Amino acid sequence: MVPDNSRFSSETITHLQDWSARQRSLRITRPRGYRFTPGQFARVGIQRADGGYLWRALSMCSAAWDDELEFLVVRIADGPFSTELWPLAPGATLLLDSTPQGFLTIDRFADGTDLWLLATGTGLAPFVSILRDPATWQRFERIVAVHCVRESSELAYRDALEPAADHPLFEDRRAGFTYVPVVTQEPGFVGLRDRIPALLASGALEAAAGLSLDPARSRFMICGGPAMVEDTHRQLMRMGYRLSRLRAPAHIALENGW
């Protein structure tokens, strides 16, 4: 029995994709009338064998127009939610909170032409949804997606984000998009290998993206582990950027990825 079924619905897992031993995408059915803004998250629940419930906030990866909902999940060793989730197969049931939440959305910015999406791990999830939204491409001239992980196997959605002129995700706007993978703990990886705050401070991120930072043009969305979010926010403030608030739009929007 679903608790307070006016607030939650029972949905079915339709597809699972493992990106690595620790990362998985899952798709579930979408209730009729369920609407969200790209960048928002949902509370997803599992009923345990003892009748209790476990809940976790997961950002949508799916486009706002998709018939299903898609999420990117990290497996936490001995984590109660991960322990219950990982054995599930397509056909299993999850609970979905009927109200999406969160403010990591492009309407946090009143102006700017360059959008920088800075993510670690599963913090990429809301940005996949944002990139699947045509409004994002109409709103910004240049978009840079930076995904920082420990090992290259954790670069979820890499095939969709790396340059491919014929990929339908970006249609005719590919020239305005740059994907920058960052891998910090894999000795053989060729590319950027430092943390995002350090890459901002050194100018290495600008060089890799081929795009200079400018308070008049640059807008930043940050999502990932709490330490990364805080350190990146502080670094951008040192560089002259300010947190965007609902009543005072500025340069930065952020959200912890867990």
Side-chain angles (χ1 to χ4, degrees), residues 178-201:
T178 303
Y179 168 67
V180 182
V182 182
V183 177
T184 60
Q185 297 182 27
E186 186 175 308
F189 180 75
V190 178
L192 298 180
R193 299 182 56 188
D194 213 338
R195 296 180 70 236
I196 290 176
L199 295 172
L200 286 166

Side-chain angles (χ1 to χ4, degrees), residues 80-100:
F81 189 87
S82 298
T83 299
E84 296 285 342
L85 178 66
W86 242 253
L88 299 183
T93 297
L94 294 177
L95 304 181
L96 178 72
D97 190 316
S98 61
T99 304

Side-chain angles (χ1 to χ4, degrees), residues 2 5-11 28-31 34 41-46 55 58 60 69 71 93-100:
V2 178
N5 58 15
S6 64
R7 293 185 54 201
F8 306 102
S9 62
S10 295
E11 304 302 331
I28 65 172
T29 53
R30 178 174 180 171
Y34 186 88
F41 63 87
R43 284 207 317 145
V44 177
I46 300 175
W55 296 92
L58 299 175
M60 272 74 74
L69 297 176
F71 304 96
T93 297
L94 294 177
L95 304 181
L96 178 72
D97 190 316
S98 61
T99 304

Side-chain angles (χ1 to χ4, degrees), residues 212-223:
S212 60
L213 299 180
D214 181 343
R217 302 191 320 266
S218 304
R219 301 295 176 265
F220 302 89
M221 305 184 86
I222 310 169
C223 189

Side-chain angles (χ1 to χ4, degrees), residues 172-254:
D172 60 346
R173 296 300 303 276
R174 172 60 71 177
F177 177 74
T178 303
Y179 168 67
V180 182
V182 182
V183 177
T184 60
Q185 297 182 27
E186 186 175 308
F189 180 75
V190 178
L192 298 180
R193 299 182 56 188
D194 213 338
R195 296 180 70 236
I196 290 176
L199 295 172
L200 286 166
S202 69
L205 198 55
E206 293 173 81
L211 183 66
S212 60
L213 299 180
D214 181 343
R217 302 191 320 266
S218 304
R219 301 295 176 265
F220 302 89
M221 305 184 86
I222 310 169
C223 189
M228 170 270 190
V229 171
E230 180 178 358
D231 292 348
T232 302
H233 179 203
R234 289 181 181 276
Q235 176 57 39
L236 287 171
M237 289 182 64
R238 285 193 288 268
M239 298 168 68
Y241 298 92
R242 294 181 293 108
L243 185 65
S244 188
R245 304 184 185 279
L246 292 177
R247 295 185 178 180
H251 310 101
I252 305 167
L254 54 81

Side-chain angles (χ1 to χ4, degrees), residues 17-210:
Q17 179 174 349
D18 289 328
W19 299 99
S20 69
R22 298 180 62 250
Q23 283 188 343
R24 161 179 292 179
S25 291
L26 63 90
R27 291 178 66 85
I28 65 172
T29 53
R30 178 174 180 171
R32 177 173 295 186
Y34 186 88
R35 293 180 174 84
F36 70 93
T37 301
Q40 288 190 306
F41 63 87
R43 284 207 317 145
V44 177
I46 300 175
Q47 184 171 14
R48 301 181 307 199
D50 63 5
Y53 296 89
L54 294 169
W55 296 92
R56 190 164 179 185
L58 299 175
S59 294
M60 272 74 74
C61 297
S62 43
W65 42 261
D66 199 324
D67 291 336
E68 297 182 330
L69 297 176
E70 183 176 341
F71 304 96
L72 179 61
V73 189
V74 64
R75 184 174 191 172
I76 299 174
D78 300 320
F81 189 87
S82 298
T83 299
E84 296 285 342
L85 178 66
W86 242 253
L88 299 183
T93 297
L94 294 177
L95 304 181
L96 178 72
D97 190 316
S98 61
T99 304
Q101 303 177 55
F103 300 98
L104 191 65
T105 56
I106 63 172
D107 59 9
R108 295 294 298 274
F109 305 119
D111 54 11
T113 59
D114 302 341
L115 179 64
W116 292 75
L117 306 173
L118 309 179
T120 55
T122 55
L124 180 72
F127 300 152
V128 175
S129 182
I130 286 170
L131 288 169
R132 286 171 164 167
D133 184 9
T136 303
W137 302 93
Q138 296 166 5
R139 171 73 174 75
F140 295 96
E141 297 175 8
R142 292 290 307 273
I143 303 173
V144 180
V146 181
H147 191 199
C148 181
V149 296
R150 295 181 298 181
E151 300 176 354
S152 59
S153 62
E154 298 175 342
L155 289 169
Y157 298 95
R158 184 178 187 177
D159 291 345
L161 296 174
E162 281 190 319
D166 59 347
H167 197 286
L169 184 60
F170 308 109
E171 298 180 347
D172 60 346
R173 296 300 303 276
R174 172 60 71 177
F177 177 74
T178 303
Y179 168 67
V180 182
V182 182
V183 177
T184 60
Q185 297 182 27
E186 186 175 308
F189 180 75
V190 178
L192 298 180
R193 299 182 56 188
D194 213 338
R195 296 180 70 236
I196 290 176
L199 295 172
L200 286 166
S202 69
L205 198 55
E206 293 173 81

